[in-house]
């Protein structure tokens, strides 16, 4: 079985079987801009949760950190193998669609409407899920988001870390 | 600051960035070398000096010292395979492998260790490979040491390595001061992001410049897709450029024709090219028996600052457990450099728990234990497969045998860290916590579930997949790297190793490459 189909079945089975609706054509039809919107929606919901305790507390700085980290994730994704990119896009798509989001999160609310505590509980439930795909989703997102945040020198102050600079970063 | 690559290019070295080409093109030479790491780089120098015309192909870009930025957010996407996001098929093991001119030698941590004797003995017993007496690799280790300035590190170890040393001293465990391939090293600690000072004697600053100086052609940002072959001969290699994100793009076709082809793409990409090319595989071993030295991680908090990002990343190792008396999986103890992205992504947890650990960043000492796979029926490695895009993915099963090794490694690292004076130890495992005594850690580690995803696992050493063997039925190539079925193909890289090494691979690969490209040069000139 193709991995793509496997993921569709694994992640969306609940919703699609319950409604008789197949998501495959919708996914295939998503263009690049739509994919970016899906990804941004999910990242904007998960970043404040995963980075709780790390983010700057001042509102303006915090918003700046969230924006730059979202952008760092989006900039990094095209370097991943296409197979991994497709898997992440599917995850972002499913989490941004009402029916599959319900199946994956158990909430009728969008991710952004959940409290930070609920978002963290959701991620923990994936980590401890018996479904390998959800465990992979947890670890994949966690690493991606944390790496994007701590890759930025603006977030190193609390680490007391500096890197030698022989050439400016562009 | 002096950049020998930029200077050489200005003086007329032949380099083509395939991503800038707009029309189909054909290239010819005596030898085409696919890959520019430890195997390909060494081979390029030896063959050009033997008077052969050589083309070197590299999927990564030609970055050099004046391009390198000491930031992980630049180095990982630009210098590593899959943007440093390479993982095994089930995503349980992260794989760090170079993808840039110089391959992994451009980004490795400079540790240079000769092939351990028990490993050579195992190869002899299992694969009939004789590297003893007049076939010894010793003269090649010595040559490589001379060429690449390999010598024992004379500077005191940084506190991260010093903790490993101190723990060993206090417990009476074996340890060794590491030999490094550096010349004029300023002890910065940024080896993994490309040496900004050209002190690391990687292929990028040694053998590749020598080959270019002698007239070789380097084609960067090119992806070798398929060999065209008939009978016992390769007729040509088909390749395409890669885009700005290093993804192969079939916009134009590049053809490479040669008398002989040297495959040196590393232990995942080399078998993948042969699998895409559907070459004969009567032994059934192509792409199989791929080893990783799966590595387990343990963090410890020390009262004094450790600052594991500063200083030579690896200067001490311990072989106390690498060759146990029984048949359990041995492991080598080392430390990694501690930089923010590497740490943030490997440390377990999220939110406040994770943020709290990151705030103790400079007090964090980190150990790794590299499991020696490939020496036991229950540790026969993974299999390289092709995904729907024709790209490799390594299916690596974690067996109960290996998991027992993981547990032993957690125990050994925790014991050592406490013996070195740690205030608390945390195995990098989803269910572990900070333990404040060796007794507490010992009990807790024994109860940690031994499962994929719960334990954080990583690999920086990929070996096998085109293994050498004296017997064609048990290997893809012979001891000289010659492919058993295709007469004009040699494999000279980590994929020829018939087991893991139980040691960091670069020096073994330099010696094998030197030996086998000497033999190849004689054969091609003969």
């Amino acid at each position: 079985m193709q991995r793509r189909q496997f993921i569709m079945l694994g992640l969306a089975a609940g919703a699609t079987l319950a409604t008789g609706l197949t998501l495959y054509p919708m996914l295939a039809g998503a263009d690049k801009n739509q994919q970016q919107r899906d990804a941004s929606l999910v990242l904007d919901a998960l970043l404040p949760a995963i980075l709780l305790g790390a983010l700057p507390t001042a509102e303006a700085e915090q918003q700046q950190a969230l924006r730059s980290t979202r952008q760092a994730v989006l900039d990094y994704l095209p370097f991943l193998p296409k197979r991994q990119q497709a898997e992440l896009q599917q995850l972002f798509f499913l989490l941004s669609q009402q029916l599959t989001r319900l199946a994956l999160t158990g909430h009728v609310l969008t991710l952004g409407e959940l409290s930070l505590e609920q978002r963290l509980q959701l991620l923990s439930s994936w980590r401890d899920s018996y479904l390998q795909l959800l465990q992979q989703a947890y670890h994949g997102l966690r690493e991606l988001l944390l790496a994007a945040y701590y890759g930025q020198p603006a977030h190193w102050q609390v680490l007391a870390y500096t890197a030698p600079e022989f050439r400016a970063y562009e | 600051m002096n950049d020998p690559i930029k200077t050489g290019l200005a003086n007329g070295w032949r380099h083509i960035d395939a991503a800038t080409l707009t029309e189909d093109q054909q290239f010819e030479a005596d030898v085409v070398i696919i890959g520019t790491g430890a195997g390909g780089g060494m081979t390029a120098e030896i063959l050009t000096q033997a008077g052969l015309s050589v083309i070197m192909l590299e999927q990564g870009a030609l970055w050099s010292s004046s391009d390198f930025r000491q930031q992980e957010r630049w180095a990982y996407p630009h210098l590593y395979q899959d943007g440093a996001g390479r993982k095994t098929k089930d995503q349980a093991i992260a794989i760090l492998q170079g993808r840039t001119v110089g391959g992994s030698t451009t980004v490795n941590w400079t540790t240079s260790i000769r092939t351990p004797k028990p490993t050579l003995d195992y190869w002899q017993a299992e694969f009939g490979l004789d590297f003893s007496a007049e076939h010894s690799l010793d003269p090649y280790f010595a040559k490589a040491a001379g060429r690449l300035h390999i010598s024992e590190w004379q500077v005191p170890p940084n506190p991260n390595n010093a903790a490993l040393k101190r723990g060993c001293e206090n417990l009476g465990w074996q340890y060794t001061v590491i030999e490094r391939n550096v010349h004029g090293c300023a002890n910065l600690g940024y080896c993994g992001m490309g040496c900004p000072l050209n002190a690391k004697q990687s292929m990028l600053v040694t053998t590749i410049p020598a080959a270019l100086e002698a007239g070789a052609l380097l084609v960067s940002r090119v992806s070798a897709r398929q060999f065209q072959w008939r009978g016992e001969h390769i007729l040509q290699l088909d390749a395409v450029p890669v885009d700005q994100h290093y993804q192969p793009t079939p916009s134009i076709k590049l053809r490479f024709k040669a008398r002989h082809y040297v495959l040196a793409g590393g232990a995942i990409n080399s078998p993948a090219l042969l699998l895409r090319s559907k070459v004969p595989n009567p032994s059934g071993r192509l792409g199989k028996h791929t080893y990783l030295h799966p590595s387990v991680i343990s963090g410890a908090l020390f009262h004094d600052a450790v600052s594991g990002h500063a200083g030579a990343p690896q200067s001490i190792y311990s072989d106390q457990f690498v060759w146990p008396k029984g048949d359990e999986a041995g492991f080598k103890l080392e430390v990694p450099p501690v930089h923010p992205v590497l740490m943030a992504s490997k440390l377990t947890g999220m939110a406040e728990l994770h943020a709290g650990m990151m705030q103790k960043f400079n007090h964090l000492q980190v150990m790794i234990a590299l499991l020696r796979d490939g020496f036991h029926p229950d540790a026969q490695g993974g299999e390289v497969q092709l995904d729907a895009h024709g790209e490799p993915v390594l299916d690596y099963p974690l067996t109960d045998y290996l998991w027992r090794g993981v547990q032993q490694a957690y125990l050994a690292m925790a014991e050592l860290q406490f013996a070195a004076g740690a205030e608390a130890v945390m195995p990098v495992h989803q269910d572990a916590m900070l333990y404040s005594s060796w007794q507490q850690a010992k009990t807790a580690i024994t109860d940690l579930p031994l499962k994929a995803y719960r334990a954080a696992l990583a690999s920086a050493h990929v070996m096998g997949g085109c293994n050498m063997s004296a017997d064609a039925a048990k290997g893809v190539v012979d001891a000289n790297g010659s492919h058993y079925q295709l007469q004009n193909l040699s494999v000279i890289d980590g994929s020829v190793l018939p087991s893991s090494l139980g040691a960091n691979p670069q020096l073994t690969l330099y010696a094998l490459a030197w030996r086998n490209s000497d033999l190849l040069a004689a054969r091609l000139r003969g």
Side-chain angles (χ1 to χ4, degrees):
Chain A
M1 188 190 287
Q2 291 279 316
R3 185 162 182 81
R4 187 185 175 86
Q5 290 168 298
F6 181 53
I7 287 182
M8 290 307 296
L9 286 173
L11 285 185
T16 53
L17 290 178
T19 61
L21 177 73
T22 167
L23 291 163
Y24 209 103
M26 292 163 66
L27 185 63
D31 64 15
K32 275 258 176 296
N33 287 335
Q34 186 57 46
Q35 287 175 358
Q36 288 256 327
R37 279 195 294 276
D38 294 343
S40 296
L41 212 66
V42 174
L43 292 172
D44 286 348
L46 296 184
L47 279 169
I50 280 184
L51 295 174
L52 201 65
L55 287 166
T57 43
E59 179 64 18
E61 278 179 58
Q62 184 173 106
Q63 289 309 314
Q64 171 58 30
L66 288 169
R67 273 195 306 275
S68 64
T69 304
R70 178 225 288 155
Q71 194 55 46
V73 172
L74 295 176
D75 289 346
Y76 172 74
L77 291 178
F79 289 97
L80 288 172
K82 291 198 168 141
R83 177 186 72 258
Q84 271 169 261
Q85 288 185 47
E87 288 168 9
L88 280 162
Q89 276 159 15
Q90 284 167 12
L91 183 65
F92 292 143
F93 172 79
L94 294 169
L95 283 171
S96 64
Q97 300 300 307
Q98 199 177 350
L99 283 171
T100 41
R101 190 180 61 238
L102 175 62
L104 281 170
T105 67
H107 293 277
V108 288
L109 301 173
T110 66
L111 288 181
E113 289 165 336
L114 299 178
S115 68
L116 289 184
E117 194 49 44
Q118 285 172 315
R119 293 177 222 181
L120 287 170
Q121 277 167 9
L122 171 67
L123 289 165
S124 297
S125 75
W126 290 356
R127 182 192 62 199
D128 300 328
S129 168
Y130 65 93
L131 283 175
Q132 178 172 302
L133 282 162
L134 289 182
Q135 294 184 53
Q136 290 172 349
Y138 166 78
H139 291 287
L141 285 174
R142 195 197 72 92
E143 285 182 24
L144 191 64
L145 274 48
L146 288 168
Y149 181 78
Y150 285 104
Q152 301 167 71
H155 307 148
W156 290 346
Q157 204 175 359
V158 67
L159 276 54
Y161 172 87
T162 53
E165 226 174 273
F166 299 91
R167 184 173 192 267
Y169 185 87
E170 287 146 22
Chain B
M1 204 170 299
N2 174 42
D3 181 339
I5 304 298
K6 296 280 194 292
T7 307
L9 290 171
N11 291 337
W13 284 354
R14 297 164 67 217
H15 167 239
I16 294 172
D17 177 351
T20 64
L21 298 177
T22 51
E23 286 177 7
D24 290 2
Q25 216 165 316
Q26 180 164 313
F27 300 84
E28 287 185 36
D30 290 329
V31 183
V32 165
I33 301 173
I34 301 138
T36 61
M42 193 58 93
T43 302
E45 174 171 30
I46 288 163
L47 295 188
T48 49
Q49 289 186 345
L52 295 156
S53 66
V54 167
I55 300 176
M56 300 176 268
L57 306 184
E58 169 56 50
Q59 183 172 6
L62 177 53
W63 300 112
S64 54
S65 57
S66 56
D67 301 309
F68 295 144
R69 278 155 279 187
Q70 282 53 63
Q71 290 199 24
E72 294 168 285
R73 62 173 168 166
W74 183 85
Y76 294 158
H78 288 290
L79 304 180
Y80 285 78
Q81 297 282 354
D82 297 347
R86 186 165 261 190
K87 289 185 173 183
T88 51
K89 189 175 187 180
D90 66 1
Q91 301 177 21
I93 309 178
I95 299 171
L96 288 175
Q97 224 182 348
R99 183 206 52 210
T100 185
V101 173
S104 292
T105 74
T106 300
V107 293
N108 72 16
W109 303 335
T110 75
T111 297
S112 306
I113 305 172
R114 293 183 174 204
T115 322
K117 181 158 187 312
T119 302
L120 294 172
D121 291 345
Y122 180 77
W123 292 357
Q124 173 132 37
E126 289 295 314
F127 300 94
L129 296 164
D130 181 9
F131 291 112
S132 63
E134 74 270 27
H135 304 293
S136 171
L137 290 172
D138 288 352
Y140 297 98
F141 292 136
K143 284 185 190 201
R147 178 72 181 93
L148 305 174
H149 290 267
I150 294 170
S151 63
E152 189 176 289
W153 184 235
Q154 300 296 327
V155 177
N158 73 0
N160 202 28
N161 282 277
L164 169 54
K165 181 178 175 215
R166 193 165 60 246
C168 285
E169 283 168 346
N170 291 344
L171 292 165
W173 291 0
Q174 189 280 339
Y175 73 87
T176 301
V177 177
I178 287 178
E179 297 194 352
R180 308 179 63 220
N181 58 323
V182 293
H183 185 53
C185 173
N187 206 22
L188 290 176
Y190 287 76
C191 308
M193 301 174 214
C195 182
L197 306 174
N198 300 303
K200 176 172 21 172
Q201 299 297 289
S202 66
M203 298 297 96
L204 174 67
V205 303
T206 58
T207 56
I208 292 169
L212 290 166
E213 194 64 39
L217 168 67
L218 170 66
V219 184
S220 64
R221 291 211 285 176
V222 62
S223 173
R225 302 312 300 171
Q226 196 170 346
F227 285 120
Q228 303 289 343
W229 58 274
R230 192 182 305 136
E232 298 183 332
H233 284 88
I234 293 173
L235 305 174
Q236 71 177 43
L237 171 71
D238 296 336
V240 300
V242 299
D243 67 13
Q244 57 177 329
H245 299 110
Y246 308 94
Q247 307 284 356
T249 49
S251 54
I252 56 168
K253 291 184 181 130
L254 303 173
R255 289 184 193 80
F256 294 88
K257 288 190 180 245
R259 282 168 63 201
H260 199 89
Y261 299 82
V262 174
L263 183 50
I268 289 180
N269 295 8
S270 283
L273 174 55
L274 294 177
L275 288 168
R276 282 197 296 269
S277 309
K278 300 188 170 62
V279 304
N281 177 26
S283 72
R285 293 181 72 98
L286 176 60
K288 296 191 177 154
H289 304 280
T290 304
Y291 301 109
L292 289 175
H293 281 161
S295 300
V296 191
I297 312 165
S298 183
L301 288 174
F302 280 74
H303 177 267
D304 294 331
V306 176
S307 302
H309 48 85
Q314 294 192 319
S315 52
I316 303 287
Y317 68 75
S318 170
D319 275 354
Q320 180 69 22
F321 298 98
V322 78
W323 303 105
K325 287 202 176 66
D327 76 344
E328 65 267 35
F331 51 88
K332 189 177 191 77
L333 296 174
E334 297 181 348
V335 307
V338 184
H339 292 285
V341 171
L342 204 57
M343 259 320 95
S345 54
K346 286 291 154 275
L347 273 181
T348 48
M350 51 188 175
E352 280 112 340
L353 177 77
H354 188 276
M357 284 300 282
M358 289 303 285
Q359 281 163 16
K360 297 172 183 141
F361 184 72
N362 277 333
H363 291 263
L364 200 57
Q365 194 270 341
V366 183
M367 297 265 322
I368 47 176
L370 293 70
L371 292 171
R372 180 173 52 76
D373 48 349
F375 292 79
H376 187 276
D378 293 333
Q380 284 300 301
E383 177 182 352
V384 174
Q385 302 167 348
L386 298 176
D387 69 12
H389 303 275
E391 295 303 315
V393 54
L394 176 64
D395 187 10
Y396 189 99
L398 286 158
T399 59
D400 290 344
Y401 172 82
L402 287 171
W403 282 121
R404 286 194 294 277
V406 166
Q407 187 178 60
Q408 291 306 309
Y410 277 138
L411 288 167
M413 291 190 288
E415 184 175 10
L416 183 136
Q417 287 168 314
F418 281 116
E423 291 183 334
V425 168
M426 188 170 84
V428 181
H429 184 291
Q430 299 296 326
D431 302 294
M433 305 204 293
L434 269 176
Y435 306 119
S436 54
S437 74
W438 165 226
Q439 272 315 315
Q440 188 197 10
K442 197 172 172 180
T443 312
I445 289 170
T446 314
D447 290 337
L448 288 177
L450 299 168
K451 284 187 191 154
Y453 313 119
R454 305 314 286 185
L457 297 173
S459 165
H461 305 155
V462 194
M463 299 155 283
C466 300
N467 80 279
M468 57 180 167
S469 167
D471 175 2
K474 280 186 83 174
V476 175
V477 299
D478 67 17
N480 303 340
S482 299
H483 193 266
Y484 270 119
Q485 285 76 40
L486 295 167
Q487 300 292 320
N488 60 342
L489 173 65
S490 300
V491 183
I492 304 186
D493 65 11
S495 71
V496 304
L497 302 177
S499 70
S500 80
L501 293 168
N504 305 44
Q506 71 166 339
L507 184 50
T508 295
L509 300 183
Y510 294 141
L512 271 176
W514 199 312
R515 173 188 184 274
N516 290 349
S517 44
D518 262 354
L519 293 170
L520 178 61
R523 185 178 137 198
L524 292 176
R525 284 187 312 182

